Amino acid sequence: MRADEDREYVDYVGVRLPRLHRTAYMLCGDAHQADDIVQATLTALYVHWRRAVAADNLDGYVHRIMVRRYLDERRRRWSRVLLGDHVPDAAEAAPGADDGFGERDALTAALRALPKGQRAVVVLRYFSDLTVEQTAEALGCSTGNVKSQCARGLATLRGAMARVAERERS
Amino acid sequence: MNEDEQQLREGLEAIAAPPSRLEAETLLEAGRRRVFRRRGWQAAGGVALATTGVVVAVPMVMREPAPPAVITVASPPSSSAPAVQRGCTATALKLPPGAKDASADGVDPTGRYIFGHDSVGQDFRPILWTDGVPKRLPQQEKSVQLTTVNSRGVVAGLATEGNKEYVFRYENGRYTRMKTPPGRWHVYPWPLMNTAGDIVINAEPEGNSGGKDSISLFWAAGTSTAVKLPLPTEANVYDITDDGTIVGGTYLDGVGQYAYAWDRTGKGRKLAVPAGAKTLAYAAEGDWATGGIWRGKDAAKAALWNLKTGAVTELDGEGPGDSVNGDSWVVTTQQVFRNGKPLGLAAPNGQEVFPRGVSNTGLVVGHSRVPNTNGGPSTPRIWQC
């Protein structure tokens, strides 16, 4: 790759990295595995960068690779990650996050308890802001399947969100 | 967008992730290495390349145990590629009825039994090949993932019940669920087994991640009641050999430190560590163990330990090592090393090759895939080397 393309890649990755890491974390529920998935995704992106930037929707392309890597990692029998010595002390602060650790924990736990398919649909639709069509493409399923999984996931999470709202009121 | 959806968006926004070690610049370096390696392989075309690096193999036979030593490869300049050995014959494995694709994910030491999967959505469907003949194992749960097979054809793995995984042993046509100690545990990463049928794995309290407050478990052959191994706090185990040696590593605050070999009583010895590096042992067979060597932010290198002497060889390629055979061949994510040099594993039409395991007879198993398909159909393959 040429130097200007390298710069484009670093610029793109630098901006998207925190959110991609959070997306992977929500998908798999483990920070180590999330790093593994994101690294594999973005390394693959570099290899195909020229083709990727020509795509209509680069973010959709990246999410598609990431979901495939997530599935591949499960197939590969993941968790061979060793964190280096350069991990920041504090967790990434989510933009706009308040101090309600309990509230976030409740939703995190509820998200983790979802079946993997529902969790992936919910994360891609409502955190990564993919459309129904893009989510279906990323997961390799039909739009009808995305809609039904969304409905089920929302119904399950409604309870957790209601508890969060209840605590906010009290 | 309705109110529920909006509330969920806001809730997800507020979820913080633990810190990541990734940075854009290091990913750029990893991408460059990947491009270089692909080009190097394409240029090789199956012919050995010249290299300035010298791979020093640990002697195959040591009559007397020697003090642990570190033998490190001489790293070639970044512009060269390691020598590639020829001589492996690729064959596609037959698919069971109804399978459109599959992967071969491991092999027993004799090469007779190969396990693998196809999948529906995100769920594994187990396949066991015996002498090359595929057979689907019963789909006991929605997802059944095989992770190890021994030379008697006994298989172990992870089954998903609801959203929770448990360890099973499959023997004589029956699944047996391996019990965990009282409490709610999440087992990880996956079970491995020796010829006798002893199984090891780790478990962390449900809800934890990254191995927080983990324990290591042992199921003796023929039993389903776990014994907690008396290992140091945070130690994790990954494999067990036929003589009962258990390999793994120590951790500190969730960060891997040093590769170790223990016995069942918890008596352990630290395996040799290259200066300034951290190590973990992920697999073992006979007198050999493999795993990873990490230095700062650099990508892992594959490690090969002689368990008799404790000496380590650092292999010249991307690590860590995932599997090893009794003749010290090492399998990493994308390569197989024999005597410290990568083997040339080819597949038709320039397909990308993903090796997963190697038997003591030199049978490599894995799968191949058309490049750039990011999850397209896989063909399960064997390479007899």
Side-chain angles (χ1 to χ4, degrees):
Chain A
M1 233 184 337
R2 294 197 311 267
D4 55 341
E5 290 174 319
D6 277 3
R7 274 196 302 277
E8 282 175 16
Y9 172 84
V10 170
D11 288 347
Y12 176 83
V13 168
V15 171
R16 300 298 198 285
L17 192 51
R19 200 161 185 89
L20 287 173
H21 177 74
R22 288 174 67 199
T23 304
Y25 176 70
M26 287 183 201
L27 284 176
C28 69
D30 187 290
H32 295 204
Q33 192 187 9
D35 267 350
D36 223 10
I37 292 167
V38 173
Q39 177 160 355
T41 300
L42 294 177
T43 306
L45 177 67
Y46 181 86
V47 174
H48 306 298
W49 178 249
R50 209 167 281 177
R51 192 161 61 94
V53 290
D56 288 340
N57 182 346
L58 181 54
D59 288 340
Y61 179 85
V62 171
H63 279 92
R64 197 159 61 242
I65 300 177
M66 188 157 79
V67 169
R68 292 289 186 268
R69 292 291 168 181
Y70 167 50
L71 302 181
D72 271 0
E73 286 295 301
R74 294 189 62 222
R75 185 189 287 267
R76 190 168 84 81
R77 305 180 293 165
W78 68 274
S79 111
R80 294 304 177 77
V81 176
L82 175 134
L83 281 175
D85 294 332
H86 307 280
V87 177
D89 290 335
E92 286 171 20
D98 59 20
D99 293 325
F101 293 113
E103 297 157 10
R104 293 199 297 271
D105 284 352
L107 186 56
T108 303
L111 194 62
R112 263 185 211 178
L114 287 182
K116 293 182 182 72
Q118 280 179 33
R119 193 193 313 153
V121 167
V122 165
V123 170
L124 295 183
R125 283 283 289 124
Y126 299 119
F127 182 71
S128 300
D129 285 330
L130 300 193
T131 63
V132 169
E133 290 73 21
Q134 288 167 338
T135 303
E137 194 181 352
L139 294 171
C141 63
S142 68
T143 53
N145 192 268
V146 169
K147 288 174 186 169
S148 64
Q149 296 275 35
C150 256
R152 283 187 215 138
L154 264 174
T156 311
L157 292 175
R158 195 174 289 130
M161 292 190 291
R163 285 193 293 278
V164 170
E166 183 66 31
R167 270 201 294 273
E168 274 178 353
R169 279 195 293 274
S170 62
Chain B
M1 190 192 315
N2 65 35
E3 194 179 335
D4 278 350
E5 290 178 316
Q6 184 55 35
Q7 200 178 347
L8 177 57
R9 279 182 202 277
E10 290 167 5
L12 293 174
E13 273 304 325
I15 293 176
S20 167
R21 75 182 197 286
L22 301 177
E23 294 172 1
E25 288 73 18
T26 49
L27 289 165
L28 174 66
E29 286 307 313
R32 282 174 172 160
R33 279 197 299 272
R34 176 67 55 85
V35 168
F36 170 74
R37 191 149 45 78
R38 285 161 61 93
R39 286 182 186 153
W41 172 245
Q42 286 159 3
V47 179
L49 293 178
T51 174
T52 55
V54 179
V55 178
V56 184
V58 173
M60 296 295 284
V61 179
M62 300 286 287
R63 288 183 186 280
E64 297 293 333
V70 176
I71 304 171
T72 305
V73 298
S75 298
S78 59
S79 60
S80 75
V84 175
Q85 300 178 73
R86 303 183 67 180
C88 300
T89 307
T91 309
L93 282 168
K94 285 181 187 166
L95 294 172
K100 292 178 181 168
D101 77 335
S103 60
D105 295 322
V107 59
D108 84 287
T110 69
R112 185 175 185 210
Y113 300 101
I114 296 169
F115 66 82
H117 310 87
D118 64 349
S119 53
V120 174
Q122 301 178 51
D123 298 318
F124 294 111
R125 301 197 300 179
I127 302 167
L128 182 66
W129 285 267
T130 304
D131 298 323
V133 178
K135 182 187 171 192
R136 283 195 187 282
L137 299 191
Q139 194 74 32
Q140 180 89 343
E141 302 283 1
K142 194 174 178 193
S143 177
V144 177
Q145 181 183 12
L146 309 179
T147 62
T148 179
V149 61
N150 69 15
S151 55
R152 296 186 296 116
V154 180
V155 188
L158 291 171
T160 305
E161 181 186 50
N163 196 34
K164 191 178 170 184
E165 290 180 322
Y166 65 85
V167 177
F168 66 81
R169 182 192 286 124
Y170 180 82
E171 186 172 15
N172 299 324
R174 286 185 58 235
Y175 285 98
T176 303
R177 183 173 180 150
M178 302 288 104
K179 297 173 196 147
T180 48
R184 297 168 71 85
W185 298 94
H186 164 238
V187 290
Y188 72 94
W190 54 83
L192 284 181
M193 179 173 54
N194 63 12
T195 298
D198 305 324
I199 296 172
V200 292
I201 198 168
N202 308 293
E204 61 191 352
E206 215 171 277
N208 287 5
S209 74
K212 191 170 185 296
D213 302 324
S214 65
I215 57 174
S216 297
L217 301 177
F218 171 90
W219 289 278
T223 70
S224 59
T225 302
V227 174
K228 182 185 164 191
L229 292 167
L231 301 183
T233 304
E234 285 199 75
N236 272 194
V237 301
Y238 296 107
D239 201 358
I240 181 167
T241 67
D242 291 352
D243 71 4
T245 300
I246 296 165
V247 299
T250 54
Y251 283 72
L252 181 63
D253 297 330
V255 178
Q257 300 292 308
Y258 301 114
Y260 263 75
W262 292 280
D263 65 18
R264 272 191 59 194
T265 69
K267 186 181 170 192
R269 59 198 166 97
K270 185 177 171 183
L271 302 178
V273 183
K278 290 182 176 175
T279 56
L280 288 174
Y282 286 145
E285 173 70 19
D287 293 337
W288 301 96
T290 189
I293 298 171
W294 288 262
R295 290 185 183 81
K297 292 182 183 179
D298 293 346
K301 294 282 189 179
L304 173 67
W305 285 278
N306 182 322
L307 290 172
K308 275 193 173 172
T309 67
V312 63
T313 302
E314 183 173 340
L315 302 175
D316 186 19
E318 202 167 303
D322 285 330
S323 184
V324 65
N325 76 1
D327 287 328
S328 77
W329 299 23
V330 170
V331 180
T332 67
T333 306
Q334 295 193 324
Q335 286 180 297
V336 177
F337 293 87
R338 179 172 64 188
N339 297 327
K341 296 189 181 71
L343 283 170
L345 301 179
N349 305 319
Q351 290 185 23
E352 284 183 291
V353 168
F354 302 90
R356 290 290 181 261
V358 59
S359 73
N360 291 342
T361 57
L363 186 77
V364 175
V365 305
H367 65 272
S368 63
R369 182 186 286 165
V370 174
N372 306 334
T373 52
N374 283 320
S378 303
T379 302
R381 291 190 183 279
I382 55 174
W383 291 265
Q384 184 63 59
C385 300

